[in-house]
Each structure stands twice: as C-alpha cells, then as structure tokens.
Coordinates of all heavy atoms in Angstrom, one line a residue:
M1 N 97.9 99.5 97.6 CA 98.0 98.2 98.0 C 97.2 98.0 99.3 O 97.3 98.8 100.2 CB 99.5 97.8 98.3 CG 99.7 96.3 98.6 SD 101.4 96.1 99.1 CE 101.2 94.9 100.4
S2 N 96.4 97.0 99.4 CA 95.5 96.8 100.6 C 96.1 95.7 101.4 O 96.9 94.9 101.0 CB 94.1 96.4 100.2 OG 94.1 95.2 99.5
Y3 N 95.7 95.7 102.7 CA 96.2 94.7 103.6 C 95.1 94.5 104.6 O 94.3 95.4 104.9 CB 97.5 95.1 104.3 CG 97.4 96.4 105.0 CD1 97.1 96.4 106.4 CD2 97.6 97.6 104.4 CE1 97.1 97.6 107.1 CE2 97.5 98.8 105.0 CZ 97.2 98.8 106.4 OH 97.1 100.0 107.1
P4 N 95.1 93.3 105.3 CA 94.0 93.1 106.2 C 94.3 93.8 107.6 O 95.4 93.8 108.1 CB 94.0 91.5 106.4 CG 95.4 91.1 106.0 CD 95.9 92.2 105.0
V5 N 93.2 94.3 108.1 CA 93.2 95.0 109.4 C 92.2 94.3 110.3 O 91.1 94.0 109.8 CB 93.0 96.5 109.3 CG1 93.0 97.2 110.7 CG2 94.0 97.1 108.4
T6 N 92.5 94.0 111.5 CA 91.5 93.4 112.4 C 90.9 94.3 113.4 O 91.6 95.2 113.9 CB 92.1 92.1 113.1 OG1 93.2 92.6 113.8 CG2 92.5 91.1 112.1
Y7 N 89.7 94.1 113.8 CA 89.0 94.9 114.8 C 88.2 93.9 115.7 O 87.8 92.8 115.3 CB 88.0 95.8 114.2 CG 88.6 96.8 113.2 CD1 88.6 96.4 111.8 CD2 89.3 97.9 113.6 CE1 89.2 97.3 110.9 CE2 89.9 98.8 112.6 CZ 89.8 98.4 111.3 OH 90.4 99.2 110.4
Y8 N 88.0 94.4 117.0 CA 87.2 93.6 117.9 C 85.8 94.1 117.9 O 85.6 95.3 118.0 CB 87.7 93.7 119.3 CG 89.0 92.9 119.5 CD1 90.2 93.5 119.5 CD2 89.0 91.5 119.8 CE1 91.4 92.8 119.7 CE2 90.1 90.8 120.0 CZ 91.3 91.5 120.0 OH 92.5 90.8 120.2
C9 N 84.8 93.2 117.8 CA 83.4 93.6 118.1 C 83.3 94.1 119.5 O 83.7 93.5 120.4 CB 82.5 92.4 117.9 SG 80.8 92.8 118.4
P10 N 82.8 95.4 119.7 CA 82.7 95.9 121.0 C 81.6 95.2 121.9 O 81.5 95.5 123.1 CB 82.4 97.4 120.8 CG 81.7 97.4 119.5 CD 82.3 96.3 118.7
R11 N 80.8 94.4 121.2 CA 79.7 93.7 122.0 C 80.2 92.4 122.5 O 79.9 92.0 123.6 CB 78.5 93.6 121.1 CG 77.9 94.9 120.6 CD 76.8 94.6 119.6 NE 76.3 95.8 119.0 CZ 75.4 96.7 119.5 NH1 74.9 96.4 120.7 NH2 75.0 97.8 118.9
C12 N 80.8 91.6 121.6 CA 81.2 90.2 122.0 C 82.6 89.9 121.8 O 83.1 88.8 122.1 CB 80.3 89.2 121.2 SG 80.8 89.1 119.5
E13 N 83.4 90.8 121.3 CA 84.9 90.7 121.2 C 85.3 89.7 120.1 O 86.4 89.2 120.1 CB 85.6 90.4 122.5 CG 85.3 91.5 123.5 CD 86.2 91.4 124.8 OE1 86.6 90.3 125.1 OE2 86.4 92.4 125.4
A14 N 84.4 89.3 119.3 CA 84.8 88.5 118.1 C 85.7 89.4 117.2 O 85.6 90.6 117.3 CB 83.5 88.1 117.3
V15 N 86.6 88.7 116.5 CA 87.5 89.5 115.7 C 87.1 89.5 114.2 O 86.8 88.4 113.6 CB 88.9 88.8 115.7 CG1 89.9 89.6 114.9 CG2 89.4 88.7 117.2
V16 N 87.0 90.7 113.7 CA 86.6 90.8 112.2 C 87.8 91.3 111.5 O 88.7 91.9 112.1 CB 85.4 91.7 112.0 CG1 84.2 91.2 112.7 CG2 85.8 93.2 112.4
E17 N 87.8 91.0 110.2 CA 89.0 91.4 109.4 C 88.5 92.2 108.2 O 87.5 91.8 107.6 CB 89.7 90.1 108.9 CG 91.1 90.4 108.4 CD 91.8 89.1 108.2 OE1 91.5 88.4 107.2 OE2 92.7 88.8 109.0
L18 N 89.2 93.2 107.8 CA 88.8 94.1 106.7 C 90.0 94.4 105.9 O 91.1 94.7 106.4 CB 88.2 95.4 107.3 CG 87.4 96.3 106.4 CD1 86.1 95.6 105.9 CD2 87.1 97.5 107.1
E19 N 89.8 94.4 104.5 CA 90.9 94.8 103.6 C 90.9 96.3 103.6 O 89.9 96.9 103.2 CB 90.7 94.2 102.2 CG 91.0 92.7 102.2 CD 92.5 92.4 102.2 OE1 93.3 93.1 101.6 OE2 92.9 91.4 102.8
R20 N 92.0 96.9 103.9 CA 92.1 98.4 103.9 C 93.2 98.9 103.0 O 94.3 98.2 102.9 CB 92.3 98.9 105.3 CG 91.1 98.6 106.2 CD 90.0 99.6 106.0 NE 90.5 101.0 106.1 CZ 90.6 101.6 107.3 NH1 90.3 101.0 108.4 NH2 91.1 102.8 107.3
E21 N 93.0 100.0 102.5 CA 94.1 100.6 101.6 C 95.2 101.3 102.5 O 96.3 101.5 102.1 CB 93.5 101.7 100.7 CG 92.5 101.1 99.7 CD 93.2 100.1 98.7 OE1 94.4 100.3 98.5 OE2 92.5 99.2 98.2
G22 N 94.8 101.6 103.7 CA 95.8 102.1 104.7 C 96.0 103.6 104.8 O 96.9 104.0 105.5
Y23 N 95.3 104.4 104.1 CA 95.5 105.8 104.2 C 94.5 106.6 105.0 O 94.5 107.8 105.1 CB 95.7 106.5 102.8 CG 94.5 106.3 101.9 CD1 93.4 107.1 102.0 CD2 94.5 105.3 100.9 CE1 92.3 106.9 101.1 CE2 93.4 105.1 100.1 CZ 92.3 105.9 100.2 OH 91.2 105.7 99.4
L24 N 93.5 105.8 105.6 CA 92.5 106.4 106.4 C 92.8 106.1 107.9 O 93.1 104.9 108.2 CB 91.1 106.0 106.1 CG 90.6 106.5 104.8 CD1 89.4 105.7 104.3 CD2 90.3 108.0 104.9
A25 N 92.8 107.1 108.8 CA 93.1 106.8 110.2 C 91.8 106.4 110.9 O 90.8 106.9 110.6 CB 93.6 108.0 110.8
D26 N 91.9 105.3 111.7 CA 90.8 104.9 112.5 C 90.6 105.7 113.7 O 91.6 106.0 114.4 CB 90.9 103.4 112.9 CG 90.9 102.5 111.6 OD1 90.4 102.9 110.6 OD2 91.5 101.4 111.8
K27 N 89.4 106.0 114.0 CA 89.1 106.8 115.2 C 88.6 105.9 116.3 O 89.1 105.9 117.4 CB 88.0 107.8 114.9 CG 87.6 108.7 116.1 CD 86.5 109.7 115.6 CE 86.1 110.6 116.8 NZ 87.2 111.4 117.3
S28 N 87.6 105.1 116.1 CA 87.0 104.3 117.1 C 86.2 103.1 116.5 O 85.8 103.2 115.4 CB 86.2 105.1 118.1 OG 85.1 105.7 117.4
V29 N 85.9 102.2 117.4 CA 85.0 101.1 117.1 C 83.9 101.1 118.2 O 84.3 101.0 119.3 CB 85.7 99.7 117.0 CG1 84.6 98.6 116.7 CG2 86.7 99.7 115.9
T30 N 82.7 101.3 117.8 CA 81.6 101.5 118.8 C 80.4 100.7 118.4 O 80.2 100.4 117.3 CB 81.2 103.0 118.9 OG1 80.9 103.5 117.6 CG2 82.4 103.9 119.4
P31 N 79.6 100.4 119.4 CA 78.3 99.7 119.1 C 77.3 100.5 118.4 O 76.3 100.0 117.9 CB 77.8 99.3 120.5 CG 78.9 99.6 121.5 CD 79.7 100.6 120.8
Y32 N 77.5 101.8 118.4 CA 76.5 102.7 117.8 C 77.3 103.7 116.8 O 78.4 104.0 117.0 CB 75.8 103.6 118.8 CG 75.1 102.7 119.8 CD1 75.6 102.4 121.1 CD2 73.9 102.1 119.5 CE1 75.0 101.6 122.0 CE2 73.3 101.2 120.4 CZ 73.8 101.0 121.6 OH 73.2 100.2 122.5
P33 N 76.5 104.1 115.8 CA 77.2 105.1 114.8 C 77.4 106.4 115.5 O 76.7 106.8 116.4 CB 76.2 105.2 113.7 CG 74.8 104.8 114.3 CD 75.2 103.8 115.4
L34 N 78.5 107.1 115.0 CA 78.7 108.5 115.5 C 77.9 109.4 114.7 O 77.7 109.3 113.5 CB 80.2 108.8 115.3 CG 81.2 107.9 116.0 CD1 82.6 108.5 115.8 CD2 80.9 107.7 117.4
E35 N 77.4 110.5 115.4 CA 76.5 111.5 114.7 C 77.4 112.2 113.7 O 78.4 112.8 114.0 CB 76.0 112.4 115.8 CG 74.9 113.3 115.3 CD 74.3 114.1 116.4 OE1 74.2 113.6 117.6 OE2 73.9 115.3 116.1
G36 N 76.9 112.3 112.5 CA 77.6 113.0 111.4 C 78.5 112.2 110.6 O 78.9 112.6 109.5
W37 N 78.7 110.9 110.9 CA 79.5 110.0 110.1 C 78.5 109.2 109.2 O 77.4 108.9 109.5 CB 80.2 109.0 111.0 CG 81.6 109.4 111.4 CD1 82.7 108.7 111.1 CD2 82.0 110.4 112.3 NE1 83.8 109.4 111.7 CE2 83.4 110.4 112.4 CE3 81.3 111.4 113.1 CZ2 84.1 111.2 113.2 CZ3 82.0 112.3 113.8 CH2 83.4 112.2 113.9
T38 N 79.0 108.9 108.0 CA 78.3 108.0 107.1 C 79.0 106.7 107.0 O 80.3 106.6 107.1 CB 78.2 108.6 105.7 OG1 79.5 108.8 105.2 CG2 77.4 109.9 105.7
Y39 N 78.2 105.6 106.9 CA 78.8 104.3 106.9 C 78.4 103.5 105.7 O 77.3 103.7 105.2 CB 78.4 103.5 108.2 CG 78.8 104.2 109.5 CD1 78.0 105.2 110.1 CD2 80.0 103.9 110.1 CE1 78.5 105.8 111.2 CE2 80.5 104.5 111.2 CZ 79.7 105.5 111.8 OH 80.1 106.1 112.9
V40 N 79.3 102.5 105.3 CA 78.9 101.6 104.3 C 79.1 100.2 104.9 O 79.8 100.0 105.9 CB 79.8 101.8 103.0 CG1 79.5 103.1 102.4 CG2 81.3 101.6 103.4
G41 N 78.6 99.2 104.2 CA 78.7 97.8 104.6 C 80.2 97.4 104.3 O 80.9 97.9 103.5
A42 N 80.6 96.3 105.0 CA 81.9 95.8 104.9 C 82.2 95.2 103.5 O 83.3 95.1 103.1 CB 82.2 94.7 105.9
D43 N 81.1 94.9 102.7 CA 81.3 94.4 101.4 C 81.2 95.5 100.3 O 81.2 95.2 99.2 CB 80.3 93.3 101.1 CG 78.8 93.8 101.3 OD1 78.6 94.9 101.8 OD2 77.9 93.0 100.9
E44 N 81.1 96.7 100.8 CA 81.0 97.8 99.8 C 82.4 98.5 99.8 O 83.4 98.0 100.3 CB 79.9 98.8 100.3 CG 78.6 98.2 100.3 CD 77.5 99.1 100.8 OE1 77.3 100.2 100.2 OE2 76.9 98.8 101.9
D45 N 82.5 99.6 99.1 CA 83.7 100.4 99.0 C 84.0 101.0 100.4 O 83.5 102.1 100.6 CB 83.7 101.4 97.9 CG 85.0 102.1 97.7 OD1 85.9 101.9 98.5 OD2 85.1 103.0 96.8
V46 N 84.8 100.4 101.2 CA 85.0 100.9 102.6 C 85.8 102.1 102.7 O 85.8 102.7 103.7 CB 85.6 99.8 103.5 CG1 84.7 98.5 103.5 CG2 87.0 99.4 103.0
E47 N 86.4 102.5 101.6 CA 87.2 103.8 101.6 C 86.3 105.0 101.2 O 86.7 106.1 101.2 CB 88.4 103.7 100.7 CG 89.2 102.4 100.8 CD 89.9 102.3 102.2 OE1 90.1 103.3 102.8 OE2 90.2 101.1 102.5
A48 N 85.0 104.7 100.8 CA 84.2 105.7 100.2 C 83.3 106.4 101.2 O 82.5 107.2 100.8 CB 83.4 105.1 99.1
A49 N 83.4 106.1 102.5 CA 82.5 106.7 103.5 C 83.4 107.1 104.7 O 84.6 107.0 104.6 CB 81.4 105.7 103.9
D50 N 82.7 107.5 105.8 CA 83.4 107.9 107.0 C 83.7 106.7 107.9 O 84.3 106.8 108.9 CB 82.6 108.9 107.8 CG 82.3 110.1 106.9 OD1 83.2 110.5 106.1 OD2 81.2 110.6 107.0
G51 N 83.1 105.5 107.5 CA 83.3 104.4 108.4 C 82.6 103.2 107.8 O 82.0 103.2 106.7
V52 N 82.6 102.1 108.6 CA 82.1 100.8 108.1 C 81.1 100.3 109.1 O 81.4 100.3 110.3 CB 83.2 99.8 107.9 CG1 82.6 98.4 107.4 CG2 84.2 100.3 106.9
R53 N 79.9 99.8 108.7 CA 79.0 99.2 109.5 C 79.1 97.7 109.4 O 78.9 97.1 108.3 CB 77.6 99.6 109.1 CG 76.5 99.0 110.0 CD 75.1 99.4 109.4 NE 74.0 99.0 110.3 CZ 73.3 97.9 110.2 NH1 73.7 97.0 109.3 NH2 72.4 97.6 111.0
F54 N 79.6 97.1 110.4 CA 79.7 95.6 110.5 C 78.4 95.0 111.0 O 77.8 95.7 111.9 CB 80.8 95.1 111.4 CG 82.2 95.5 110.9 CD1 82.8 96.7 111.3 CD2 82.9 94.7 110.0 CE1 84.1 97.0 110.9 CE2 84.2 95.0 109.6 CZ 84.8 96.2 110.0
V55 N 78.1 93.8 110.6 CA 77.1 93.1 111.3 C 77.8 91.8 111.8 O 78.1 90.9 110.9 CB 75.8 92.8 110.4 CG1 74.8 92.0 111.2 CG2 75.3 94.1 109.9
C56 N 78.0 91.7 113.0 CA 78.9 90.7 113.6 C 78.4 89.3 113.3 O 77.4 88.9 113.7 CB 78.9 90.9 115.1 SG 80.1 89.9 116.0
G57 N 79.3 88.6 112.5 CA 78.9 87.2 112.2 C 78.0 87.1 111.0 O 77.8 85.9 110.5
E58 N 77.4 88.2 110.5 CA 76.4 88.1 109.4 C 77.0 88.6 108.1 O 76.4 88.3 107.1 CB 75.2 89.0 109.8 CG 74.6 88.6 111.1 CD 73.7 87.4 111.0 OE1 72.9 87.3 110.0 OE2 73.7 86.5 111.9
D59 N 78.1 89.3 108.1 CA 78.5 89.9 106.8 C 79.8 89.2 106.3 O 80.5 89.8 105.4 CB 78.7 91.4 107.0 CG 79.6 91.8 108.1 OD1 80.3 90.9 108.6 OD2 79.7 93.0 108.4
G60 N 80.2 88.1 106.9 CA 81.3 87.4 106.4 C 82.7 88.0 106.7 O 83.7 87.6 106.1
T61 N 82.8 88.8 107.7 CA 84.0 89.5 108.1 C 84.7 88.8 109.2 O 85.8 89.2 109.6 CB 83.8 91.0 108.4 OG1 82.8 91.1 109.4 CG2 83.4 91.7 107.2
L62 N 84.1 87.8 109.9 CA 84.8 87.2 111.0 C 86.1 86.5 110.6 O 86.1 85.9 109.6 CB 83.9 86.2 111.7 CG 82.7 86.7 112.5 CD1 81.9 85.6 113.1 CD2 83.1 87.7 113.6
R63 N 87.1 86.8 111.4 CA 88.4 86.2 111.0 C 88.5 84.7 111.3 O 89.1 84.0 110.5 CB 89.5 86.9 111.8 CG 90.9 86.5 111.4 CD 92.0 87.1 112.3 NE 91.7 86.6 113.7 CZ 92.5 86.9 114.7 NH1 93.5 87.8 114.5 NH2 92.3 86.5 115.9
D64 N 87.9 84.3 112.4 CA 88.0 82.9 112.8 C 86.8 82.1 112.3 O 85.7 82.5 112.6 CB 88.2 82.8 114.3 CG 89.3 83.6 114.8 OD1 90.4 83.6 114.2 OD2 89.2 84.3 115.8
D65 N 87.1 81.0 111.7 CA 86.0 80.2 111.1 C 85.1 79.6 112.2 O 83.9 79.4 112.0 CB 86.6 79.0 110.3 CG 87.2 79.5 109.0 OD1 86.8 80.6 108.6 OD2 88.0 78.8 108.4
D66 N 85.7 79.4 113.4 CA 84.9 78.8 114.4 C 84.2 79.8 115.3 O 83.5 79.5 116.3 CB 85.7 77.8 115.3 CG 86.9 78.5 115.9 OD1 87.1 79.7 115.5 OD2 87.6 77.9 116.8
A67 N 84.3 81.1 115.0 CA 83.6 82.1 115.7 C 82.2 82.3 115.1 O 82.1 82.1 113.8 CB 84.4 83.5 115.7
S68 N 81.2 82.7 115.9 CA 79.9 82.9 115.3 C 79.4 84.3 115.3 O 78.5 84.7 114.6 CB 78.9 82.0 116.0 OG 78.9 82.2 117.4
G69 N 80.0 85.1 116.2 CA 79.6 86.5 116.3 C 78.3 86.6 117.1 O 77.6 85.6 117.3
C70 N 77.9 87.9 117.4 CA 76.7 88.1 118.1 C 75.5 88.6 117.3 O 74.4 88.7 117.8 CB 76.9 89.2 119.2 SG 77.5 90.8 118.6
G71 N 75.7 88.8 116.0 CA 74.6 89.1 115.1 C 74.2 90.6 115.2 O 73.3 91.0 114.5
E72 N 74.9 91.4 116.0 CA 74.5 92.8 116.2 C 75.5 93.7 115.4 O 76.6 93.3 115.1 CB 74.7 93.1 117.7 CG 73.7 92.3 118.6 CD 72.3 92.8 118.4 OE1 72.0 93.9 118.1 OE2 71.4 91.9 118.5
P73 N 75.0 94.8 115.0 CA 75.8 95.8 114.2 C 76.8 96.5 115.1 O 76.5 96.7 116.3 CB 74.8 96.7 113.6 CG 73.6 96.7 114.5 CD 73.6 95.3 115.1
F74 N 77.9 96.8 114.6 CA 78.8 97.8 115.3 C 79.6 98.6 114.2 O 79.5 98.3 113.0 CB 79.8 97.1 116.2 CG 80.8 96.1 115.6 CD1 82.1 96.5 115.3 CD2 80.4 94.8 115.4 CE1 83.0 95.7 114.7 CE2 81.3 93.9 114.8 CZ 82.6 94.3 114.5
Y75 N 80.2 99.6 114.6 CA 80.7 100.7 113.7 C 82.1 101.0 113.8 O 82.6 101.3 115.0 CB 79.8 101.9 113.9 CG 78.4 101.7 113.6 CD1 77.6 101.1 114.6 CD2 77.8 102.0 112.4 CE1 76.2 100.8 114.4 CE2 76.5 101.7 112.1 CZ 75.7 101.1 113.1 OH 74.4 100.9 112.9
L76 N 82.9 100.9 112.7 CA 84.2 101.4 112.7 C 84.1 102.8 112.1 O 83.6 103.1 111.0 CB 85.1 100.6 111.8 CG 86.4 101.2 111.3 CD1 87.4 101.4 112.4 CD2 87.0 100.3 110.2
S77 N 84.7 103.8 112.8 CA 84.7 105.2 112.4 C 86.1 105.7 112.1 O 87.0 105.5 112.9 CB 84.0 106.1 113.5 OG 82.7 105.6 113.8
Y78 N 86.3 106.3 110.9 CA 87.5 106.9 110.6 C 87.6 108.3 111.2 O 86.6 108.9 111.5 CB 87.7 107.0 109.1 CG 87.5 105.8 108.3 CD1 86.8 105.8 107.1 CD2 87.9 104.6 108.7 CE1 86.6 104.7 106.3 CE2 87.7 103.4 108.0 CZ 87.1 103.5 106.8 OH 86.8 102.4 106.0
V79 N 88.8 108.8 111.3 CA 89.0 110.2 111.7 C 88.5 111.0 110.5 O 88.8 110.8 109.4 CB 90.5 110.5 112.0 CG1 90.6 112.0 112.3 CG2 91.0 109.7 113.1
R80 N 87.6 112.0 110.8 CA 87.1 112.9 109.8 C 87.8 114.3 110.0 O 88.0 114.7 111.1 CB 85.6 113.1 109.9 CG 84.8 111.9 109.3 CD 83.4 112.4 108.9 NE 82.7 113.0 110.0 CZ 82.0 114.1 110.0 NH1 82.0 114.8 108.9 NH2 81.3 114.5 111.0
F81 N 88.0 114.9 108.8 CA 88.6 116.3 108.9 C 87.7 117.3 108.3 O 87.0 117.0 107.2 CB 89.9 116.3 108.2 CG 91.0 115.4 108.9 CD1 91.2 114.1 108.5 CD2 91.7 116.0 109.9 CE1 92.1 113.3 109.1 CE2 92.7 115.2 110.5 CZ 92.9 113.9 110.2
E82 N 87.5 118.4 108.9 CA 86.8 119.5 108.3 C 87.7 120.7 108.5 O 88.2 121.0 109.6 CB 85.5 119.8 109.1 CG 84.4 118.9 108.5 CD 83.1 119.1 109.3 OE1 83.0 120.1 110.1 OE2 82.2 118.3 109.1
D83 N 88.0 121.4 107.4 CA 88.9 122.6 107.5 C 90.2 122.3 108.1 O 90.8 123.0 108.8 CB 88.2 123.8 108.2 CG 86.9 124.2 107.6 OD1 86.8 124.1 106.4 OD2 86.0 124.5 108.4
G84 N 90.7 121.1 107.8 CA 92.0 120.7 108.3 C 92.0 120.2 109.8 O 93.1 119.9 110.3
E85 N 90.9 120.3 110.4 CA 90.8 119.9 111.8 C 90.1 118.6 112.0 O 89.1 118.3 111.3 CB 90.1 120.9 112.6 CG 90.6 122.3 112.5 CD 91.5 122.7 113.7 OE1 91.3 122.2 114.8 OE2 92.5 123.5 113.4
A86 N 90.6 117.7 112.8 CA 89.9 116.4 113.1 C 88.6 116.8 113.8 O 88.6 117.5 114.8 CB 90.8 115.5 114.0
V87 N 87.5 116.1 113.3 CA 86.2 116.4 113.9 C 86.0 115.5 115.1 O 86.3 114.3 115.1 CB 85.1 116.0 112.9 CG1 83.7 116.2 113.5 CG2 85.3 116.9 111.6
E88 N 85.6 116.1 116.2 CA 85.4 115.3 117.4 C 83.9 114.8 117.4 O 83.0 115.5 117.0 CB 85.5 116.2 118.7 CG 87.0 116.4 119.1 CD 87.7 115.1 119.4 OE1 87.1 114.3 120.1 OE2 88.8 114.9 119.0
A89 N 83.8 113.5 117.8 CA 82.4 113.0 117.9 C 81.8 113.5 119.1 O 82.4 113.6 120.2 CB 82.5 111.5 117.9
R90 N 80.5 113.9 118.9 CA 79.8 114.3 120.1 C 79.4 113.0 120.9 O 79.0 112.0 120.4 CB 78.4 115.0 119.7 CG 78.5 116.5 119.9 CD 77.2 117.1 119.4 NE 77.3 117.3 118.0 CZ 76.2 117.5 117.2 NH1 75.1 117.6 117.7 NH2 76.4 117.7 115.9
P91 N 79.7 113.0 122.2 CA 79.4 111.8 123.0 C 78.0 111.6 123.1 O 77.3 112.1 124.0 CB 80.1 112.1 124.3 CG 80.2 113.6 124.4 CD 80.2 114.1 123.0
E92 N 77.4 110.8 122.2 CA 76.0 110.4 122.3 C 75.7 109.4 123.5 O 74.7 109.3 124.0 CB 75.5 109.8 121.0 CG 75.4 110.7 119.9 CD 75.0 110.0 118.6 OE1 73.8 109.9 118.4 OE2 75.8 109.5 117.9
S93 N 76.8 108.7 123.8 CA 76.6 107.7 124.8 C 78.0 107.4 125.4 O 79.0 107.8 124.8 CB 76.0 106.4 124.3 OG 77.0 105.7 123.5
E94 N 78.0 106.7 126.4 CA 79.3 106.3 127.0 C 80.1 105.5 126.1 O 81.4 105.4 126.2 CB 79.1 105.6 128.3 CG 78.3 104.3 128.1 CD 78.0 103.6 129.5 OE1 78.9 103.5 130.3 OE2 76.9 103.2 129.7
Y95 N 79.5 104.8 125.1 CA 80.2 103.9 124.3 C 81.2 104.6 123.3 O 82.1 104.1 122.9 CB 79.2 103.0 123.5 CG 78.4 102.1 124.3 CD1 77.1 102.3 124.5 CD2 79.0 101.0 124.9 CE1 76.3 101.5 125.3 CE2 78.3 100.2 125.7 CZ 77.0 100.4 125.9 OH 76.2 99.6 126.7
V96 N 80.8 105.9 123.0 CA 81.7 106.6 122.1 C 83.1 106.8 122.7 O 84.1 106.9 122.0 CB 81.1 108.0 121.9 CG1 82.0 108.9 121.1 CG2 79.8 107.9 121.2
R97 N 83.2 106.7 124.1 CA 84.5 106.9 124.7 C 85.3 105.6 124.8 O 86.3 105.5 125.4 CB 84.3 107.5 126.1 CG 83.8 108.9 126.0 CD 83.9 109.7 127.3 NE 82.9 109.2 128.2 CZ 81.7 109.7 128.3 NH1 81.3 110.7 127.5 NH2 80.8 109.3 129.2
L98 N 84.8 104.5 124.3 CA 85.5 103.3 124.2 C 86.9 103.5 123.6 O 87.0 104.2 122.6 CB 84.8 102.2 123.4 CG 83.8 101.3 124.1 CD1 83.2 100.4 123.1 CD2 84.4 100.5 125.2
G99 N 87.9 102.8 124.0 CA 89.2 102.9 123.4 C 90.1 103.9 124.1 O 91.3 103.9 123.7
R100 N 89.7 104.6 125.1 CA 90.6 105.4 125.8 C 91.4 104.7 126.8 O 90.8 103.7 127.3 CB 89.8 106.5 126.5 CG 89.6 107.7 125.6 CD 89.3 108.9 126.4 NE 88.7 109.9 125.4 CZ 88.0 111.0 125.8 NH1 87.8 111.1 127.1 NH2 87.6 111.8 125.0
Ligands
ZN1 ZN1 79.8 90.7 118.1

C-alpha cells in the first residue's frame, strides 16, 4: 500500500509530494546527487533505484497548486545497504550534511 510522503526542496523550500510504498528508509534530501547512488525521476518507479531526482516545479510533484518551485533539480536519497551495513555518503560538499 502506498501513501504520500512530503519533502522540502533544499533550494527554495517548496513542498513536493511522492507516493511511497514505505519500506525504504530515507537518508537525505540534497541539492546534488550522492556519489554511488542511482536516481530515477519522480514519475518513474521510485522504488527501483537508490533515490529520486526531482525537478522542482517541473515534474508535477509540487504539493501546493499555488507554488511554482525553483526549476532546479534536487535529490532524495534512500539509505543504501551493502553487506548489511548502511553505506555512508562521501561528503562531496557541505550540502550532503543537510538534515543534521
Ligand atoms: Zn525548489
């Protein structure tokens, strides 16, 4: 069963909404992709990759009809596991540390 989950764009704080199955843990939402993660668009099978690439205001995911978004991409990354251990993202930039 899926249910809507909301995220904030890290660039402009617009709210996007995504239907999720609920068995994948979210790691972070960042303006840039994490190294080693694969992403799909919000209109694709969002459970089939390591995360979702949103395009703020361009891909139909904004929750509020009167929001317009910033038109820039941002990335929802799930927790990834290798050999039973959660994979840490290498900090490519300060933005990876958003959410602490
Ligand atoms: Zn935005």
Side-chain angles (χ1 to χ4, degrees):
M1 186 185 140
S2 67
Y3 58 94
V5 181
T6 56
Y7 304 96
Y8 287 98
C9 171
R11 299 178 188 273
C12 72
E13 300 191 336
V15 181
V16 299
E17 195 171 79
L18 194 65
E19 288 284 325
R20 292 285 303 278
E21 297 294 334
Y23 58 83
L24 289 165
D26 294 339
K27 178 180 179 62
S28 59
V29 178
T30 54
Y32 301 102
L34 304 185
E35 192 176 325
W37 267 247
T38 60
Y39 297 89
V40 294
D43 57 350
E44 298 175 62
D45 182 358
V46 297
E47 315 292 340
D50 303 321
V52 178
R53 178 182 189 271
F54 293 94
V55 183
C56 188
E58 302 282 317
D59 58 8
T61 55
L62 288 179
R63 185 190 61 180
D64 303 318
D65 288 340
D66 57 351
S68 55
C70 59
E72 298 289 329
F74 64 96
Y75 298 82
L76 163 66
S77 303
Y78 307 140
V79 177
R80 280 205 301 133
F81 292 95
E82 276 177 13
D83 303 324
E85 305 263 329
V87 177
E88 281 300 315
R90 255 175 279 166
E92 288 181 90
S93 75
E94 61 184 311
Y95 294 110
V96 174
R97 293 193 286 272
L98 272 179
R100 277 201 191 159

